[in-house]
Amino acid sequence: MKAVTWQGKRDVRVDTVPDPTIQEPTDAVIRITSTGLCGSDLHLYEVLTPFMTLGDILGHEPMGIVEEVGAAVPDLRAGDRVVVPFQIACGNCWMCLNALPTQCETTQVTGEGMGAALFGYTRLYGAVPGAQAEYLRVPQAQFGPIKVPEGPPDDRFVYLSDVLPTAWQAVAYADIPEGGTVAVLGLGPIGDMACRVAQVRGASRVFGVDLVGDRLRRARARGVETFDLRSFDSEKELIAAIRDETDGRGPDAVIDAVGTEAHGSAAARMIQNAAAMLPRKLSGPLAERFSVDRLAALHTAIELVRRGGTLSLVGVYGGMADPLPMLTMFDKQLQIRMGQANVRRWCDEILPYLTDEDPLGVDDFATHRVPLSDAPHAYEMFQQKQDGAVKVLMTP
């Protein structure tokens, strides 16, 4: 089959690789009909290269048709249309039963000290072959796949794999009071969708911050009050402008949808780039321990949110030795929630919004649809924020 493989920093290729097969009774194999390119994939393309292996198959946002199921998968059969969550979870362990499938005790990558295995996302998360491919082996298929109805196009449901539950959890964790206010930092796919979810869940005002004109225009068209970073000479000016809109206090909640590739730290970027060029035995420890993250967006979120407010961190962070303004966080009595989205935890709440009325705008959420063979160009376009690229779907 054809699949998108990682070959080095900013180097992905479409290669011929072996077809997946049933390996365990709890496996399924699906034929992929749509697969997304995620902002998290760009971390592998650029920042997290020390944790990659040549030939890794990328991708974690698939949907498709079941081709084959193992003997211990009672609720799926060939021909079912399914969306596959990005994390792999059993559904039966203590963590899964407590709505935390991202911490699944069956698939935890204990050798790396990490949570549940993920599709197509580095050795830290199990080095499981990913979903930017023609076919996908789905472990723990007795729990993971979400059956969806025939009829509507893939765009209606494919975002259940990641974008929708990630944005939904970001808003839920933000704990915005009814009629309250929220600022979303970063208007890429997750930040954009988080704005939409906040609106349908009752936020009175949603402020969106970015520095890419196409993303700002897209959010503004859906009623988000946008702030262009390029229009301010400093972080303080941006914060003052949003506070002016919230009676001088700041928003009730701030969602950081930027994460590890935030603008604003030349030193951290230098370390990221250096780590990517070192031998594997040195690059991994450097990237893990020494300021792999650029924390500009997080520092802005801490300063911006009102006292007693809530921060919801949905952008991916990977460093373990980054200084945080603990005095400010304590003094402001902030609540902070974060983590990978627990996909199956939220799907039942999201599905009623995936109707012909389309209140979340999923049917036209994708800005680009390309064949899988165009993946190298799609990665470059998305990473460079060219041609208005916000969300790219690929078709095998």
Side-chain angles (χ1 to χ4, degrees), residues 48 51 124 259-260 287-289 291-293 315-322:
L48 298 180
F51 307 111
L124 295 178
T260 190
E288 274 191 281
R289 301 297 304 179
S291 296
V292 71
D293 292 325
V316 174
Y317 284 101
M320 296 175 68
D322 296 297

Side-chain angles (χ1 to χ4, degrees), residues 319-351:
M320 296 175 68
D322 296 297
L324 290 174
M326 295 301 298
L327 176 61
T328 301
M329 294 160 65
F330 182 84
D331 180 63
K332 292 186 72 171
Q333 200 171 335
L334 303 183
Q335 300 181 68
I336 302 177
R337 301 191 71 183
M338 67 189 83
Q340 303 277 9
N342 297 289
V343 175
R344 292 301 301 264
R345 162 68 179 83
W346 306 109
C347 285
D348 288 346
E349 294 182 24
I350 297 169
L351 276 165

Side-chain angles (χ1 to χ4, degrees), residues 53-100:
T53 301
L54 290 177
D56 280 350
I57 300 174
L58 303 174
H60 57 268
E61 296 187 348
M63 71 173 293
I65 307 299
V66 175
E67 292 281 301
E68 186 180 2
V69 297
V73 183
D75 296 326
L76 287 182
R77 63 185 63 187
D80 283 345
R81 189 186 192 196
V82 296
V83 178
V84 180
F86 69 89
Q87 77 258 166
I88 301 166
C90 72
N92 295 313
C93 69
W94 189 93
M95 289 290 182
C96 288
L97 293 175
N98 282 276
L100 290 167

Side-chain angles (χ1 to χ4, degrees), residues 100-119:
L100 290 167
T102 56
Q103 310 303 325
C104 175
E105 292 170 323
T106 300
T107 73
Q108 278 179 15
V109 187
T110 54
E112 299 288 349
M114 305 301 280
L118 309 179
F119 288 104

Side-chain angles (χ1 to χ4, degrees), residues 37-54:
L37 174 53
C38 179
S40 296
D41 293 324
L42 295 185
H43 301 327
L44 313 183
Y45 189 68
E46 175 88 18
V47 176
L48 298 180
T49 58
F51 307 111
M52 300 295 291
T53 301
L54 290 177

Side-chain angles (χ1 to χ4, degrees), residues 142-167:
Q142 81 287 348
F143 175 68
I146 303 157
K147 287 196 280 190
V148 296
E150 298 293 336
D154 281 7
D155 293 50
R156 180 74 56 87
F157 303 112
V158 67
Y159 305 115
L160 284 170
S161 60
D162 184 349
V163 174
L164 278 168
T166 297

